[in-house]
Amino acid sequence: MAYHDALTDLPNCSLLNDRLTQALAHARRNKQMLAVMFIDLDWFKTINDTLGHAIGDQLLQSVAKRLVNLLREGDTVARMGGDEFILLLPGITQAESAAKIAYKILEAFKPSFYFNGHELHVTSSIGIALYLTDGEDAETLLKNADTAMYRAKEQGQSNYQFYTPAMNATAFERLILENNLRRALERKEFVIYYQPKILLSTGQITGMEALVRWQHPELGLISPAKFIPLTEETGFIVSLGEWALHTACTQSKAWQNAGFPPLDLAVNLSARQFQQPDLVEMIAQVLEETGLAPYHLELEITESIAMQNVEFTVKMLRKLKEMGIRILLDDFGIDYSSLSYLKRFPLHTLKIDQSFLHDITTNSYSAMIITLIITLAHSLKLNVIAKGVETKEQLDFLKQLHCNEAQGYYFGPPISAEEFTRLLQKG
Ligand code: C2E
Ligand code: MG
């Protein structure tokens, strides 16, 4: 009991630590190599939340079996808790052997798992650290394998990564970035850019998406792709998101007051903001303070908001809808269980992810997916918008399919409020 995990019967954290310490002593004495692999299932939390813990537990047991089948004499696979497994490979002679085993693990996950009539396709992300190059002691090796695993996840799932010292350098940079981010809000270094949304039937601008930028005093304009993920991890997105909403609503109302035809403002909301019980009140208050009518506001959400408590999230979305605010589902088509959320979320619009659009002329599969999404949206009486439109061909393709709206560099990139004012003046 003290050394084994009750659910999977694999060695637990303490037994792994013992074996790792022993294996390290052995490797040191004999000047041998050793690999530590951090294996994490992709989407385990979603599966657990949507299908229940019983299925989640069965999945972990089956995963444990598949891992055990790959082991050779002397290898150890341990479960660290949750969906995290550690593989200890003493006696490997070169890094390529570790890569080969990582590859085998990814392959072993390819056949679907079946439980109570559910077919589950599960992938994993793997991080690898080697003794002696990536650490001399157990703690360092485990930490570095973990860092490498996160990098593997970032690179898209079903992937493995070897640890590199550069990963730690980025951890340090991230720390600096995080401290600077908090100060940046106080120093008013954030700005909102606006990208026009076009109604395809008339070619007119009907609205704009608010996209935050960081105007760094030395580094210049920093893209949200660089800092939004970090703000989500640290929770800073809650303050930043509120500021962005307030600023964009104020600007939108100012354009209305200046006599421009009323436009629909779209603001991105992070999943993390949906963990705030007072999100709805915060939004209501911002609308009241800025005087923007709720029916001119659209909130862009992604499916990841359902990663926490689906019931709670759906309630919040319903309240927002009752207030007259529209909900748009962003990045549609790339995530995990899109179709079930279409039924549960009170949506107004689907936004097609730009990855499909980029190769419609060369990839018939992408063209088919876009056609399907538009047909699906229309049969569910949802509005549909395509983002990342860059060429005339893409636009023609979308028009032919009666896609309602579009957004992309073809019409114009995100621009500052001043530039957007000039765009509106030109009509
Ligand atoms: P998103 O919501 O998917 O926004 C669309 C991104 O696509 C924007 O990147 C935009 O500049 C870019 N884009 C627009 N047209 C084209 C095109 O034709 N081709 C290509 N390749 N890209 C195009 P941006 O502004 O860097 O924003 C990145 C992401 O950061 C956003 O993705 C959104 O998820 C997040 N973000 C930005 N502002 C906020 C915010 O205020 N709150 C939250 N929570 N997230 C934000
Ligand atoms: Mg968006």
Side-chain angles (χ1 to χ4, degrees):
M1 284 295 278
Y3 286 105
H4 283 85
D5 163 47
L7 180 66
T8 59
D9 210 31
L10 292 180
N12 63 12
C13 197
S14 357
L15 183 53
L16 177 90
N17 273 324
D18 282 0
R19 292 211 183 146
L20 182 53
T21 312
Q22 271 174 29
L24 280 170
H26 187 265
R28 207 168 288 132
R29 236 180 290 122
N30 300 294
K31 303 216 173 342
Q32 281 177 345
M33 217 175 173
L34 177 155
V36 174
M37 268 185 210
F38 210 111
I39 307 166
D40 188 276
L41 303 186
D42 303 320
W43 293 107
F44 179 73
K45 197 177 171 325
T46 310
I47 293 169
N48 226 12
D49 289 349
T50 46
L51 299 178
H53 293 274
I55 298 270
D57 284 353
Q58 285 183 48
L59 176 64
L60 291 172
Q61 287 169 336
S62 306
V63 162
K65 277 195 198 124
R66 288 197 190 174
L67 290 174
V68 167
N69 281 336
L70 293 172
L71 295 192
R72 300 156 316 172
E73 176 102 17
D75 295 348
T76 298
V77 62
R79 176 167 174 244
M80 305 305 274
D83 58 339
E84 293 175 351
F85 296 86
I86 300 269
L87 194 58
L88 170 61
L89 306 168
I92 58 161
T93 51
Q94 46 182 356
E96 287 81 70
S97 321
K100 265 191 204 148
I101 293 167
Y103 179 75
K104 273 196 195 157
I105 296 172
L106 297 178
E107 285 293 301
F109 280 81
K110 285 211 170 140
S112 300
F113 293 89
Y114 294 92
F115 309 106
N116 306 354
H118 293 285
E119 178 180 357
L120 289 184
H121 184 68
V122 180
T123 55
S124 60
S125 300
I126 305 174
I128 309 170
L130 300 173
Y131 172 81
L132 183 64
T133 43
D134 303 332
E136 291 183 42
D137 55 82
E139 203 188 325
T140 313
L141 284 169
L142 288 170
K143 187 177 102 290
N144 290 346
D146 185 33
T147 305
M149 185 278 291
Y150 273 102
R151 191 51 58 94
K153 260 200 205 303
E154 280 169 21
Q155 313 250 304
Q157 284 120 20
S158 200
N159 217 312
Y160 68 83
Q161 279 285 314
F162 279 95
Y163 173 76
T164 62
M167 291 176 183
N168 261 347
T170 27
F172 183 63
E173 281 165 17
R174 284 162 57 116
L175 192 71
I176 293 178
L177 193 63
E178 192 198 324
N179 285 330
N180 282 334
L181 274 169
R182 292 185 183 275
R183 249 176 290 151
L185 191 59
E186 292 155 24
R187 293 184 183 166
K188 305 194 177 1
E189 291 173 6
F190 291 108
V191 281
I192 303 283
Y193 270 40
Y194 299 88
Q195 186 177 34
K197 292 190 179 189
I198 312 294
L199 188 67
L200 290 182
S201 56
T202 63
Q204 276 174 328
I205 301 179
T206 51
M208 61 280 169
E209 178 172 6
L211 293 156
V212 68
R213 301 281 179 268
W214 181 7
Q215 182 69 61
H216 193 281
E218 284 118 48
L219 302 173
L221 213 56
I222 303 179
S223 136
K226 291 231 170 73
F227 61 85
I228 291 282
L230 185 64
T231 64
E232 285 175 333
E233 265 173 49
T234 59
F236 178 58
I237 188 68
V238 174
S239 323
L240 182 61
E242 181 171 348
W243 174 85
L245 181 72
H246 204 284
T247 307
C249 288
T250 307
Q251 181 61 63
S252 205
K253 186 67 189 171
W255 279 321
Q256 286 182 17
N257 290 345
F260 295 115
L263 296 172
D264 293 331
L265 168 70
V267 178
N268 290 285
L269 275 196
S270 154
R272 186 72 187 244
Q273 291 176 273
F274 275 83
Q275 289 173 333
Q276 301 301 114
D278 62 349
L279 177 73
V280 177
E281 288 72 31
M282 184 279 278
I283 295 171
Q285 197 186 337
V286 168
L287 287 174
E288 200 187 303
E289 280 169 14
T290 59
L292 189 75
Y295 49 85
H296 284 310
L297 179 64
E298 184 167 45
L299 298 173
E300 301 205 354
I301 61 165
T302 61
E303 281 167 39
S304 56
I305 62 160
M307 296 284 269
Q308 297 104 27
N309 185 340
V310 185
E311 290 310 319
F312 183 63
T313 307
V314 169
K315 255 190 215 146
M316 277 196 180
L317 291 175
R318 289 222 181 95
K319 271 195 211 153
L320 292 168
K321 186 186 172 177
E322 278 161 22
M323 284 164 63
I325 297 171
R326 276 164 294 161
I327 310 292
L328 175 150
L329 188 60
D330 210 342
D331 298 332
F332 186 75
I334 48 169
D335 266 346
Y336 192 62
S337 42
S338 318
L339 293 176
S340 73
Y341 295 131
L342 283 189
K343 247 181 27 193
R344 304 187 71 171
F345 293 171
L347 300 173
H348 181 271
T349 303
L350 288 189
K351 193 186 249 191
I352 309 175
D353 186 62
Q354 66 190 46
S355 57
F356 303 116
L357 201 60
H358 279 178
D359 55 357
I360 44 159
T361 41
T362 51
N363 185 338
S364 59
Y365 188 68
S366 292
M368 215 155 66
I369 290 184
I370 294 197
T371 311
L372 272 172
I373 295 179
I374 294 175
T375 313
L376 175 74
H378 285 162
S379 36
L380 292 170
K381 308 251 178 313
L382 295 174
N383 196 49
V384 58
I385 175 165
K387 71 171 164 187
V389 178
E390 293 180 352
T391 67
K392 176 92 172 40
E393 288 78 55
Q394 292 169 345
L395 174 63
D396 289 342
F397 177 77
L398 292 166
K399 273 187 173 167
Q400 200 191 318
L401 293 170
H402 303 292
C403 181
N404 307 86
E405 290 172 89
Q407 176 185 355
Y409 296 162
Y410 181 78
F411 305 105
I415 46 180
S416 67
E418 295 73 44
E419 288 174 288
F420 202 85
T421 308
R422 282 195 286 278
L423 185 71
L424 292 176
Q425 279 160 351
K426 276 194 285 176

